Amino acid sequence: MSDLNGRVIVLGVSGGIAAYKSVELLRALQKKGADVFVVMTENALKFVGELTFQAISKHSVYTDVMKEDTPDKIRHIDLAEKADGVVIAPATANIIGKIANGIADDALSTMIMAVKAPVMICPAMNSWMYESRAVQRNLDTLSEDGFHIIDPDEGYLACNVTGPGRLPEPYYIADRVEAMLVRKDFKEKKVLVTAGPTVEPIDPVRFISNHSSGKMGYKIAEAFEKRGAKVTLVSGPVAIDPPYNTEVVNIKTADEMLLKCQERMENIDIIVKVAAVADYKIKNRAEHKIKKSEGGLDLVLEENPDIIKTLGKLKKPGQIFVGFAAETRDLEQNALKKLESKNLDMIVANEISGKNSAFGAEENKVTIFTKNMAPKILDMMDKKVLADLILDSILEIENDR
Ligand code: PMT
C-alpha cells in the first residue's frame, strides 16, 4: 500500500535521450497504485512513440494544444485540475527554461501553467548544459516558485561526457513523487530510529543473533522521512535496501549501537528503538576460530547494555522515546513494565512467536501503550501502513503535552 494509491499523476515527458526511462517511470508509478496520464512535447515524440505510453497508461497521450478531441473538456485545464501531482522526467533545458520564464507554447508547458498540485522536475541533459548559468538560474527560479527539483545522477552520458545529467532511476523518482505528496507533519524534526538485529561474535566466524529482518524499523524510518523528518537509522546487519534521503549508520554489536546512538542523541527530538538488541554477549569471546573438540563447549554470556534505558537516563524535556516490546506471553503486563522501567513515552508491543510472529513478516499486529492514553489494539496490517499509524500516535503524544 503506497501513498500514491488511487492518486492521479501527470507524467510530463520532454525531448531528451532519457525519455525511454519515462516508460519505466510510468510503470513504477502504476505499481504504487497511481493512475498516470502522460503529456509529451513534440520533441519527446521523436524519442519514444506516444502509443507506448498510451498502451501502458490506458489513457490517450496529450501532445498538441490545438488538437482537442474531447469537445466537452479543455484538455490542458482538465489534466491540470485532476492531477494530484505532476512529474516531468526527463526535463530538458528547454522545458525548464520555458516553465521558469512563464512560456506556454506546447502541451506540457501550457498544462503546467494551470497546475495547482505539487510539481517535480527531473533535469536530464549534458553536464555542461546542466551546469550552465542559464539552466542553474532557471532551476533556482523554479525552486523558489515551489517546484520540487530532483538532482540528476552523475555518470557516463549519451554525449560521451561523464558528469551530472543522468536521469535518476525510475523507482527512485517514483519514490520521491510519493514523498512529495505525503503530509509533512514531522518537518524539521530530528529522528533516530534503530532497526534490525545486533550480532554478538563468539569467535571470528560465529555469532549469536536473532531473526529481526529490519523491515519494521526501516518502514518507520521511511515514513518519518516521507513526512518531512531528518532521519538517522542505526541498523544492525539486514538484507533490505535503506530508505532514501536517510543517514544510515551500520553497526553489528549492541555496544556499537549504544555508542552510535549516544553520539547522535544531542539534538534528537524523537527516538524509536525497533532494533532487536541481543540482551547478552559472549564474555569469553575467542580471538581465533574455536576448534571442534570432544566434550562440548561452554560459552559464558554477560549482559549487554540496555541501550534505550541508558539513553533514557539522559532524556531531555521535550524528547519523545518510543520502544518496542517483543513478547511471547503476557503482552500487556510485560509491555507496561518496559514502558515504566525504560522511561519511555510509548511502547509498541508485538508477538514474536507463533503464526503472528512479527519477525521477518510483511505484516504485524501490535498494541500501542502510552503513559496517558488508552491502549490502541490494532489489527494485523502491512508494516508500512502500521508505521504511519505509529507516527500518528507519536504526534498525539506531542500534541498532548
Ligand atoms: O525486524 P523485523 O523482522 O521487521 O521484526 C520486527 C521486530 C519484531 C524486531 C520489532 O517489531 C520489535 O519487536 N522490536 C523490539 C525487539 C526487542 O528487542 O524487544 P525487547 O522487548 O527485548 O526490548 C524492549 C525495548 O528495549 C526495545 O525497544 C529494544 O530495542 C530495547 N532494548 C532491548 C535490549 C537492549 N539491550 N537494549 C535496548 O535498547
Side-chain angles (χ1 to χ4, degrees), residues 194-197 210-218 238 240 254 257 272-280 303-311 322-327 334 338 342 344 347-352 357-364 366 383 386:
T194 69
N210 58 62
H211 296 296
S212 171
S213 63
K215 286 177 194 167
M216 190 70 248
Y218 276 48
V238 296
I240 50 177
M257 183 173 272
V272 185
K273 279 220 85 257
V274 196
V277 184
D279 285 322
Y280 294 94
E303 226 179 310
N304 257 329
D306 189 311
I307 300 172
I308 194 122
K309 203 168 178 174
T310 312
L311 300 175
V322 178
F324 267 65
E327 305 299 339
N334 288 328
K338 286 175 187 171
K342 293 178 190 251
L344 303 173
I347 193 150
V348 182
N350 51 203
E351 297 273 351
I352 47 145
S357 171
F359 275 131
E362 298 301 325
E363 296 189 324
N364 197 4
V366 308
K383 283 180 177 170
L386 174 59

Short mmCIF file of all heavy atoms in Angstrom, two decimals, residues 194-197 210-218 238 240 254 257 272-280 303-311 322-327 334 338 342 344 347-352 357-364 366 383 386, ligand 1:
data_model
loop_
_atom_site.label_atom_id
_atom_site.label_comp_id
_atom_site.label_asym_id
_atom_site.label_seq_id
_atom_site.Cartn_x
_atom_site.Cartn_y
_atom_site.Cartn_z
N THR A 194 16.29 2.90 15.42
CA THR A 194 17.19 1.74 15.35
C THR A 194 16.40 0.58 14.78
O THR A 194 15.19 0.48 14.99
CB THR A 194 17.76 1.36 16.73
OG1 THR A 194 16.71 0.83 17.53
CG2 THR A 194 18.41 2.54 17.44
N ALA A 195 17.11 -0.29 14.06
CA ALA A 195 16.40 -1.40 13.40
C ALA A 195 17.32 -2.59 13.23
O ALA A 195 18.55 -2.46 13.32
CB ALA A 195 15.90 -0.94 12.04
N GLY A 196 16.69 -3.72 12.95
CA GLY A 196 17.46 -4.94 12.68
C GLY A 196 17.96 -5.61 13.94
O GLY A 196 17.68 -5.17 15.06
N PRO A 197 18.72 -6.67 13.78
CA PRO A 197 19.25 -7.38 14.95
C PRO A 197 20.60 -6.82 15.35
O PRO A 197 21.19 -6.04 14.60
CB PRO A 197 19.46 -8.80 14.40
CG PRO A 197 19.85 -8.55 12.96
CD PRO A 197 19.13 -7.30 12.52
N ASN A 210 19.46 -12.79 16.31
CA ASN A 210 18.04 -13.14 16.33
C ASN A 210 17.45 -12.96 14.93
O ASN A 210 18.17 -12.64 13.99
CB ASN A 210 17.30 -12.28 17.37
CG ASN A 210 17.46 -10.81 17.07
OD1 ASN A 210 17.04 -10.32 16.04
ND2 ASN A 210 18.13 -10.10 17.98
N HIS A 211 16.14 -13.16 14.83
CA HIS A 211 15.52 -13.22 13.48
C HIS A 211 15.04 -11.87 12.94
O HIS A 211 14.31 -11.84 11.96
CB HIS A 211 14.31 -14.17 13.53
CG HIS A 211 14.68 -15.57 13.83
ND1 HIS A 211 15.47 -16.33 13.00
CD2 HIS A 211 14.40 -16.36 14.90
CE1 HIS A 211 15.65 -17.53 13.53
NE2 HIS A 211 15.01 -17.57 14.69
N SER A 212 15.44 -10.77 13.54
CA SER A 212 14.92 -9.49 13.03
C SER A 212 15.44 -9.22 11.61
O SER A 212 16.63 -9.30 11.34
CB SER A 212 15.36 -8.34 13.96
OG SER A 212 15.05 -7.12 13.35
N SER A 213 14.49 -8.88 10.73
CA SER A 213 14.85 -8.60 9.32
C SER A 213 15.10 -7.12 9.09
O SER A 213 15.59 -6.72 8.04
CB SER A 213 13.69 -9.04 8.42
OG SER A 213 12.54 -8.26 8.73
N GLY A 214 14.69 -6.29 10.05
CA GLY A 214 14.82 -4.84 9.89
C GLY A 214 13.61 -4.20 9.23
O GLY A 214 13.50 -2.97 9.17
N LYS A 215 12.65 -5.02 8.75
CA LYS A 215 11.53 -4.45 7.97
C LYS A 215 10.73 -3.41 8.76
O LYS A 215 10.42 -2.34 8.24
CB LYS A 215 10.59 -5.56 7.50
CG LYS A 215 11.16 -6.39 6.36
CD LYS A 215 10.21 -7.53 6.01
CE LYS A 215 10.92 -8.54 5.12
NZ LYS A 215 10.19 -9.79 5.00
N MET A 216 10.38 -3.75 10.01
CA MET A 216 9.54 -2.84 10.80
C MET A 216 10.27 -1.50 11.00
O MET A 216 9.70 -0.43 10.77
CB MET A 216 9.22 -3.50 12.15
CG MET A 216 8.18 -2.78 12.97
SD MET A 216 6.52 -2.87 12.30
CE MET A 216 6.22 -1.21 11.81
N GLY A 217 11.53 -1.57 11.41
CA GLY A 217 12.29 -0.34 11.67
C GLY A 217 12.51 0.48 10.40
O GLY A 217 12.42 1.72 10.43
N TYR A 218 12.79 -0.20 9.30
CA TYR A 218 13.03 0.52 8.05
C TYR A 218 11.75 1.22 7.57
O TYR A 218 11.81 2.32 7.02
CB TYR A 218 13.58 -0.43 6.98
CG TYR A 218 15.08 -0.64 7.08
CD1 TYR A 218 15.69 -0.94 8.29
CD2 TYR A 218 15.91 -0.51 5.96
CE1 TYR A 218 17.06 -1.12 8.40
CE2 TYR A 218 17.29 -0.68 6.06
CZ TYR A 218 17.86 -0.99 7.27
OH TYR A 218 19.22 -1.15 7.38
N VAL A 238 21.20 -6.25 7.91
CA VAL A 238 19.94 -6.70 7.29
C VAL A 238 20.14 -6.81 5.78
O VAL A 238 21.14 -6.31 5.25
CB VAL A 238 18.76 -5.72 7.57
CG1 VAL A 238 18.44 -5.65 9.05
CG2 VAL A 238 19.06 -4.33 7.02
N ILE A 240 17.90 -5.65 3.41
CA ILE A 240 16.93 -4.82 2.68
C ILE A 240 17.54 -3.46 2.36
O ILE A 240 18.48 -3.03 3.03
CB ILE A 240 15.59 -4.65 3.45
CG1 ILE A 240 15.84 -4.20 4.89
CG2 ILE A 240 14.78 -5.89 3.42
CD1 ILE A 240 14.57 -3.95 5.68
N ALA A 254 25.63 -4.71 20.11
CA ALA A 254 24.86 -3.80 20.95
C ALA A 254 25.75 -2.65 21.45
O ALA A 254 25.30 -1.50 21.52
CB ALA A 254 24.27 -4.56 22.13
N MET A 257 25.96 -0.17 18.77
CA MET A 257 24.68 0.55 18.61
C MET A 257 24.54 1.62 19.69
O MET A 257 24.17 2.77 19.39
CB MET A 257 23.49 -0.42 18.66
CG MET A 257 22.17 0.27 18.43
SD MET A 257 20.77 -0.86 18.30
CE MET A 257 20.79 -1.23 16.56
N VAL A 272 13.07 6.14 18.20
CA VAL A 272 12.22 4.96 18.13
C VAL A 272 13.13 3.74 18.05
O VAL A 272 13.85 3.56 17.07
CB VAL A 272 11.26 5.00 16.91
CG1 VAL A 272 10.31 3.81 16.95
CG2 VAL A 272 10.48 6.30 16.88
N LYS A 273 13.08 2.90 19.09
CA LYS A 273 14.00 1.76 19.14
C LYS A 273 13.28 0.49 18.73
O LYS A 273 12.61 -0.15 19.51
CB LYS A 273 14.60 1.61 20.55
CG LYS A 273 15.76 2.56 20.76
CD LYS A 273 16.91 1.94 21.53
CE LYS A 273 17.88 1.16 20.68
NZ LYS A 273 17.83 -0.23 20.69
N VAL A 274 13.42 0.18 17.45
CA VAL A 274 12.77 -1.02 16.92
C VAL A 274 13.75 -2.20 16.92
O VAL A 274 13.36 -3.36 16.82
CB VAL A 274 12.26 -0.77 15.48
CG1 VAL A 274 11.27 -1.84 15.07
CG2 VAL A 274 11.62 0.60 15.35
N ALA A 275 15.03 -1.89 17.04
CA ALA A 275 16.05 -2.95 16.94
C ALA A 275 15.83 -4.04 17.96
O ALA A 275 15.41 -3.78 19.09
CB ALA A 275 17.44 -2.34 17.14
N ALA A 276 16.10 -5.26 17.52
CA ALA A 276 16.07 -6.41 18.43
C ALA A 276 17.50 -6.58 18.94
O ALA A 276 18.33 -7.22 18.30
CB ALA A 276 15.58 -7.64 17.69
N VAL A 277 17.74 -5.95 20.08
CA VAL A 277 19.10 -5.95 20.64
C VAL A 277 19.32 -7.23 21.43
O VAL A 277 18.48 -7.61 22.25
CB VAL A 277 19.28 -4.73 21.59
CG1 VAL A 277 20.71 -4.65 22.10
CG2 VAL A 277 18.88 -3.44 20.88
N ALA A 278 20.45 -7.88 21.19
CA ALA A 278 20.76 -9.09 21.97
C ALA A 278 21.00 -8.67 23.41
O ALA A 278 21.80 -7.77 23.68
CB ALA A 278 22.00 -9.76 21.40
N ASP A 279 20.29 -9.30 24.33
CA ASP A 279 20.44 -8.92 25.74
C ASP A 279 21.78 -9.37 26.31
O ASP A 279 22.24 -8.84 27.31
CB ASP A 279 19.29 -9.52 26.57
CG ASP A 279 17.99 -8.76 26.33
OD1 ASP A 279 18.06 -7.52 26.21
OD2 ASP A 279 16.92 -9.39 26.23
N TYR A 280 22.38 -10.37 25.65
CA TYR A 280 23.65 -10.89 26.16
C TYR A 280 24.70 -10.95 25.05
O TYR A 280 24.38 -11.09 23.88
CB TYR A 280 23.46 -12.31 26.72
CG TYR A 280 22.58 -12.32 27.95
CD1 TYR A 280 21.21 -12.54 27.84
CD2 TYR A 280 23.13 -12.09 29.20
CE1 TYR A 280 20.40 -12.52 28.96
CE2 TYR A 280 22.32 -12.07 30.34
CZ TYR A 280 20.96 -12.29 30.20
OH TYR A 280 20.17 -12.26 31.31
N GLU A 303 25.81 -9.60 30.32
CA GLU A 303 24.71 -8.72 29.89
C GLU A 303 25.21 -7.62 28.96
O GLU A 303 26.28 -7.04 29.19
CB GLU A 303 24.08 -8.09 31.12
CG GLU A 303 22.57 -8.14 31.07
CD GLU A 303 21.95 -7.54 32.32
OE1 GLU A 303 22.36 -7.93 33.43
OE2 GLU A 303 21.09 -6.68 32.15
N ASN A 304 24.44 -7.34 27.94
CA ASN A 304 24.71 -6.18 27.09
C ASN A 304 24.12 -4.94 27.75
O ASN A 304 23.22 -5.05 28.58
CB ASN A 304 24.02 -6.38 25.73
CG ASN A 304 24.99 -6.79 24.65
OD1 ASN A 304 26.16 -6.41 24.67
ND2 ASN A 304 24.51 -7.56 23.70
N PRO A 305 24.58 -3.76 27.36
CA PRO A 305 23.93 -2.57 27.90
C PRO A 305 22.49 -2.51 27.41
O PRO A 305 22.20 -2.93 26.30
CB PRO A 305 24.74 -1.42 27.31
CG PRO A 305 25.41 -1.98 26.11
CD PRO A 305 25.63 -3.45 26.40
N ASP A 306 21.59 -2.01 28.26
CA ASP A 306 20.22 -1.75 27.79
C ASP A 306 20.27 -0.35 27.16
O ASP A 306 20.37 0.67 27.85
CB ASP A 306 19.22 -1.79 28.95
CG ASP A 306 17.80 -1.73 28.42
OD1 ASP A 306 17.52 -0.84 27.59
OD2 ASP A 306 16.97 -2.58 28.80
N ILE A 307 20.23 -0.32 25.83
CA ILE A 307 20.50 0.93 25.11
C ILE A 307 19.46 2.00 25.42
O ILE A 307 19.80 3.12 25.80
CB ILE A 307 20.57 0.67 23.58
CG1 ILE A 307 21.69 -0.34 23.32
CG2 ILE A 307 20.81 1.96 22.82
CD1 ILE A 307 21.76 -0.83 21.90
N ILE A 308 18.20 1.64 25.27
CA ILE A 308 17.17 2.67 25.45
C ILE A 308 17.10 3.14 26.90
O ILE A 308 16.86 4.33 27.16
CB ILE A 308 15.78 2.21 24.92
CG1 ILE A 308 14.84 3.41 24.79
CG2 ILE A 308 15.13 1.16 25.78
CD1 ILE A 308 14.31 3.63 23.44
N LYS A 309 17.39 2.22 27.83
CA LYS A 309 17.37 2.60 29.24
C LYS A 309 18.53 3.57 29.52
O LYS A 309 18.36 4.58 30.21
CB LYS A 309 17.52 1.35 30.10
CG LYS A 309 16.99 1.48 31.48
CD LYS A 309 16.94 0.10 32.11
CE LYS A 309 16.45 0.17 33.52
NZ LYS A 309 16.27 -1.15 34.08
N THR A 310 19.70 3.26 28.95
CA THR A 310 20.87 4.12 29.15
C THR A 310 20.60 5.51 28.57
O THR A 310 20.88 6.53 29.19
CB THR A 310 22.11 3.50 28.44
OG1 THR A 310 22.18 2.13 28.80
CG2 THR A 310 23.39 4.22 28.81
N LEU A 311 20.03 5.53 27.35
CA LEU A 311 19.73 6.82 26.72
C LEU A 311 18.63 7.54 27.50
O LEU A 311 18.63 8.77 27.63
CB LEU A 311 19.29 6.63 25.27
CG LEU A 311 20.31 5.96 24.32
CD1 LEU A 311 19.68 5.73 22.96
CD2 LEU A 311 21.56 6.81 24.19
N VAL A 322 10.36 6.14 22.17
CA VAL A 322 9.43 5.06 21.85
C VAL A 322 10.21 3.74 21.79
O VAL A 322 11.26 3.67 21.15
CB VAL A 322 8.75 5.31 20.48
CG1 VAL A 322 7.82 4.16 20.13
CG2 VAL A 322 8.01 6.64 20.48
N GLY A 323 9.68 2.74 22.47
CA GLY A 323 10.31 1.42 22.40
C GLY A 323 9.35 0.41 21.81
O GLY A 323 8.17 0.70 21.59
N PHE A 324 9.88 -0.75 21.49
CA PHE A 324 9.05 -1.87 21.06
C PHE A 324 9.18 -2.95 22.13
O PHE A 324 10.23 -3.06 22.77
CB PHE A 324 9.54 -2.42 19.71
CG PHE A 324 8.84 -1.81 18.53
CD1 PHE A 324 8.98 -0.47 18.24
CD2 PHE A 324 8.04 -2.59 17.70
CE1 PHE A 324 8.33 0.10 17.16
CE2 PHE A 324 7.38 -2.03 16.62
CZ PHE A 324 7.52 -0.69 16.34
N ALA A 325 8.15 -3.73 22.34
CA ALA A 325 8.25 -4.86 23.26
C ALA A 325 7.96 -6.12 22.46
O ALA A 325 6.89 -6.26 21.87
CB ALA A 325 7.24 -4.71 24.39
N ALA A 326 8.96 -6.99 22.40
CA ALA A 326 8.79 -8.25 21.68
C ALA A 326 8.47 -9.32 22.71
O ALA A 326 9.29 -9.64 23.56
CB ALA A 326 10.09 -8.57 20.94
N GLU A 327 7.26 -9.85 22.65
CA GLU A 327 6.80 -10.74 23.71
C GLU A 327 6.28 -12.07 23.17
O GLU A 327 5.72 -12.13 22.07
CB GLU A 327 5.65 -10.06 24.50
CG GLU A 327 5.99 -8.70 25.07
CD GLU A 327 7.16 -8.71 26.07
OE1 GLU A 327 7.44 -9.78 26.64
OE2 GLU A 327 7.77 -7.65 26.26
N ASN A 334 3.98 -7.25 30.36
CA ASN A 334 5.41 -7.04 30.09
C ASN A 334 5.67 -5.69 29.43
O ASN A 334 6.65 -5.01 29.73
CB ASN A 334 5.94 -8.17 29.21
CG ASN A 334 6.04 -9.47 29.97
OD1 ASN A 334 6.28 -9.47 31.17
ND2 ASN A 334 5.83 -10.58 29.29
N LYS A 338 7.99 -2.49 30.77
CA LYS A 338 9.10 -1.89 30.00
C LYS A 338 8.87 -0.39 29.79
O LYS A 338 9.81 0.40 29.81
CB LYS A 338 9.25 -2.60 28.65
CG LYS A 338 9.89 -3.98 28.79
CD LYS A 338 9.94 -4.75 27.48
CE LYS A 338 10.44 -6.17 27.75
NZ LYS A 338 10.32 -7.08 26.62
N LYS A 342 11.96 1.64 31.41
CA LYS A 342 12.88 2.22 30.42
C LYS A 342 12.61 3.70 30.18
O LYS A 342 13.15 4.29 29.27
CB LYS A 342 12.79 1.43 29.11
CG LYS A 342 13.33 -0.01 29.24
CD LYS A 342 13.18 -0.79 27.94
CE LYS A 342 13.49 -2.27 28.14
NZ LYS A 342 14.77 -2.68 27.52
N LEU A 344 10.01 5.32 28.97
CA LEU A 344 9.51 5.57 27.61
C LEU A 344 8.22 6.38 27.63
O LEU A 344 7.51 6.40 28.63
CB LEU A 344 9.25 4.24 26.90
CG LEU A 344 10.43 3.27 26.79
CD1 LEU A 344 9.98 1.93 26.22
CD2 LEU A 344 11.53 3.87 25.92
N ILE A 347 5.16 2.54 24.05
CA ILE A 347 5.75 1.24 23.70
C ILE A 347 4.80 0.50 22.76
O ILE A 347 3.58 0.52 22.94
CB ILE A 347 6.13 0.40 24.95
CG1 ILE A 347 7.03 -0.77 24.54
CG2 ILE A 347 4.92 -0.08 25.73
CD1 ILE A 347 8.00 -1.21 25.61
N VAL A 348 5.38 -0.08 21.72
CA VAL A 348 4.60 -0.81 20.72
C VAL A 348 4.85 -2.29 20.98
O VAL A 348 5.98 -2.77 20.81
CB VAL A 348 5.05 -0.43 19.29
CG1 VAL A 348 4.21 -1.14 18.25
CG2 VAL A 348 5.01 1.09 19.09
N ALA A 349 3.81 -2.99 21.42
CA ALA A 349 4.01 -4.38 21.82
C ALA A 349 3.58 -5.32 20.71
O ALA A 349 2.50 -5.15 20.13
CB ALA A 349 3.21 -4.67 23.09
N ASN A 350 4.45 -6.28 20.40
CA ASN A 350 4.07 -7.26 19.38
C ASN A 350 4.50 -8.67 19.78
O ASN A 350 5.38 -8.87 20.59
CB ASN A 350 4.60 -6.90 17.99
CG ASN A 350 6.07 -6.57 17.91
OD1 ASN A 350 6.51 -5.89 17.00
ND2 ASN A 350 6.85 -7.03 18.85
N GLU A 351 3.82 -9.64 19.17
CA GLU A 351 4.12 -11.06 19.40
C GLU A 351 5.32 -11.46 18.55
O GLU A 351 5.43 -11.04 17.40
CB GLU A 351 2.93 -11.92 18.95
CG GLU A 351 1.66 -11.68 19.70
CD GLU A 351 1.56 -12.52 20.95
OE1 GLU A 351 2.41 -13.41 21.13
OE2 GLU A 351 0.64 -12.28 21.75
N ILE A 352 6.18 -12.32 19.12
CA ILE A 352 7.30 -12.79 18.29
C ILE A 352 7.39 -14.32 18.25
O ILE A 352 8.42 -14.88 17.93
CB ILE A 352 8.64 -12.19 18.76
CG1 ILE A 352 8.76 -12.29 20.29
CG2 ILE A 352 8.80 -10.76 18.32
CD1 ILE A 352 10.14 -12.53 20.75
N SER A 357 4.00 -14.09 14.48
CA SER A 357 5.30 -13.51 14.84
C SER A 357 5.65 -12.33 13.94
O SER A 357 5.53 -12.39 12.72
CB SER A 357 6.40 -14.56 14.74
OG SER A 357 7.65 -13.92 14.90
N ALA A 358 6.11 -11.26 14.59
CA ALA A 358 6.48 -10.05 13.84
C ALA A 358 7.81 -10.22 13.11
O ALA A 358 8.10 -9.51 12.15
CB ALA A 358 6.58 -8.86 14.80
N PHE A 359 8.64 -11.16 13.57
CA PHE A 359 9.96 -11.34 12.97
C PHE A 359 9.88 -11.69 11.49
O PHE A 359 9.27 -12.68 11.11
CB PHE A 359 10.73 -12.45 13.70
CG PHE A 359 11.45 -11.98 14.92
CD1 PHE A 359 11.32 -12.68 16.12
CD2 PHE A 359 12.30 -10.88 14.89
CE1 PHE A 359 12.00 -12.28 17.26
CE2 PHE A 359 12.98 -10.47 16.03
CZ PHE A 359 12.83 -11.16 17.21
N GLY A 360 10.50 -10.89 10.66
CA GLY A 360 10.64 -11.21 9.24
C GLY A 360 9.37 -11.04 8.42
O GLY A 360 9.42 -11.07 7.19
N ALA A 361 8.22 -10.86 9.06
CA ALA A 361 6.95 -10.83 8.33
C ALA A 361 6.73 -9.48 7.63
O ALA A 361 7.33 -8.47 8.00
CB ALA A 361 5.81 -11.09 9.31
N GLU A 362 5.85 -9.49 6.64
CA GLU A 362 5.48 -8.24 5.96
C GLU A 362 4.44 -7.48 6.78
O GLU A 362 4.26 -6.29 6.62
CB GLU A 362 4.88 -8.52 4.57
CG GLU A 362 5.82 -9.20 3.58
CD GLU A 362 7.08 -8.40 3.32
OE1 GLU A 362 7.01 -7.17 3.30
OE2 GLU A 362 8.15 -9.02 3.16
N GLU A 363 3.72 -8.23 7.62
CA GLU A 363 2.64 -7.62 8.41
C GLU A 363 2.96 -7.72 9.90
O GLU A 363 3.82 -8.51 10.30
CB GLU A 363 1.33 -8.36 8.14
CG GLU A 363 0.85 -8.24 6.71
CD GLU A 363 -0.54 -8.79 6.54
OE1 GLU A 363 -0.86 -9.80 7.20
OE2 GLU A 363 -1.31 -8.20 5.77
N ASN A 364 2.25 -6.98 10.69
CA ASN A 364 2.45 -7.04 12.14
C ASN A 364 1.14 -6.66 12.83
O ASN A 364 0.34 -5.88 12.30
CB ASN A 364 3.57 -6.07 12.55
CG ASN A 364 4.12 -6.36 13.93
OD1 ASN A 364 3.72 -7.34 14.57
ND2 ASN A 364 5.03 -5.52 14.40
N VAL A 366 -0.07 -5.15 16.50
CA VAL A 366 0.52 -4.56 17.71
C VAL A 366 -0.56 -3.93 18.59
O VAL A 366 -1.67 -3.64 18.16
CB VAL A 366 1.56 -3.46 17.36
CG1 VAL A 366 2.59 -3.96 16.37
CG2 VAL A 366 0.90 -2.18 16.85
N LYS A 383 3.32 -3.63 7.40
CA LYS A 383 4.20 -2.83 8.28
C LYS A 383 4.31 -1.38 7.81
O LYS A 383 4.57 -0.48 8.61
CB LYS A 383 5.58 -3.49 8.36
CG LYS A 383 5.59 -4.71 9.29
CD LYS A 383 6.95 -5.38 9.39
CE LYS A 383 6.89 -6.55 10.38
NZ LYS A 383 8.07 -7.40 10.37
N LEU A 386 1.21 0.30 9.18
CA LEU A 386 1.38 0.37 10.63
C LEU A 386 2.36 1.48 11.01
O LEU A 386 2.14 2.22 11.98
CB LEU A 386 1.87 -1.00 11.15
CG LEU A 386 2.23 -1.07 12.62
CD1 LEU A 386 1.04 -0.71 13.50
CD2 LEU A 386 2.72 -2.48 12.98
O1 PMT B 1 12.82 -6.56 12.08
P1 PMT B 1 11.53 -7.29 11.79
O2 PMT B 1 11.74 -8.65 11.18
O3 PMT B 1 10.58 -6.44 11.00
O4 PMT B 1 10.83 -7.58 13.21
C1 PMT B 1 10.35 -6.52 13.97
C2 PMT B 1 10.66 -6.72 15.47
C3 PMT B 1 9.96 -7.97 15.98
C4 PMT B 1 12.17 -6.84 15.71
C5 PMT B 1 10.12 -5.43 16.20
O5 PMT B 1 8.75 -5.28 15.91
C6 PMT B 1 10.35 -5.49 17.69
O6 PMT B 1 9.57 -6.02 18.45
N1 PMT B 1 11.49 -4.88 18.15
C7 PMT B 1 11.92 -4.89 19.57
C8 PMT B 1 12.70 -6.14 19.85
C9 PMT B 1 13.20 -6.20 21.28
O7 PMT B 1 14.40 -6.21 21.49
O8 PMT B 1 12.27 -6.15 22.19
P2 PMT B 1 12.53 -6.25 23.80
O9 PMT B 1 11.20 -6.40 24.38
O10 PMT B 1 13.59 -7.23 24.09
O11 PMT B 1 13.12 -4.82 24.16
C10 PMT B 1 12.32 -3.72 24.56
C11 PMT B 1 12.91 -2.43 24.04
O12 PMT B 1 14.20 -2.21 24.61
C12 PMT B 1 13.09 -2.39 22.54
O13 PMT B 1 12.76 -1.12 22.08
C13 PMT B 1 14.58 -2.67 22.35
O14 PMT B 1 15.10 -2.05 21.17
C14 PMT B 1 15.18 -2.05 23.60
N2 PMT B 1 16.40 -2.73 24.07
C15 PMT B 1 16.38 -4.04 24.39
C16 PMT B 1 17.54 -4.64 24.87
C17 PMT B 1 18.70 -3.87 24.99
N3 PMT B 1 19.82 -4.42 25.44
N4 PMT B 1 18.68 -2.57 24.67
C18 PMT B 1 17.55 -1.98 24.21
O15 PMT B 1 17.54 -0.79 23.91
#
